[in-house]
Amino acid sequence: LVLSGASWLTAGNANAQDLAMAFIVGDAVDDRLGEGAHSLSLSDVDGDGRADVLVGAPGSDLSAPDGGAAALFHGGELAGTSSLSQASLLLTGTGGDGASVGSWARPDVGSLLFIGAPGAGEGGLGWLIPAELEGAWEIADAASHLARGEGDGASLGRQGAALASFR
């Protein structure tokens, strides 16, 4: 039983565990890596012709208890098993960040990553982060823009994958 969460990357439609090209795992129990429909995004954010992988782990404790994290793996770096902390870019948060992620691949004008935390604040939070960053960053320090949800029932940051189709 893997409680940290995991994501398999496969080619085509197949049993993920049998034909995995790469396997990304959480660093600790309850990281919840890849949990939910909007916690994985594939796009070529660095313009090298290979899909890059952005994955969220809203339960990660790397910077705060259940603070959350998101990790960007460049396409050419993924083979075998990789953990969250081995990413090219590791973004850690303080409020369940990484519950949703998205990427906007525009290397000609600057690709962006979206990191969402629908449960943070009163109506959720969403950050836009330049994709060219590398290393480990606190999400709040890396973000170029912050959006806050307002009002009862608002849950900004729940549907980050929608950013991937924005042009």
Side-chain angles (χ1 to χ4, degrees), residues 60-82:
S60 172
D61 296 332
L62 289 173
S63 65
D66 289 326
L72 178 67
F73 294 87
H74 292 294
E77 299 172 347
L78 281 172
T81 300
S82 299

Side-chain angles (χ1 to χ4, degrees), residues 4 19 30 50 55 66 69 71 91 117 130 134 137 139 144-145 147 162 165:
S4 63
L19 296 177
D30 293 328
R50 294 179 284 200
V55 64
D66 289 326
L91 299 158
E134 293 186 3
W137 290 77
I139 290 173
S144 61
H145 294 85
S165 62

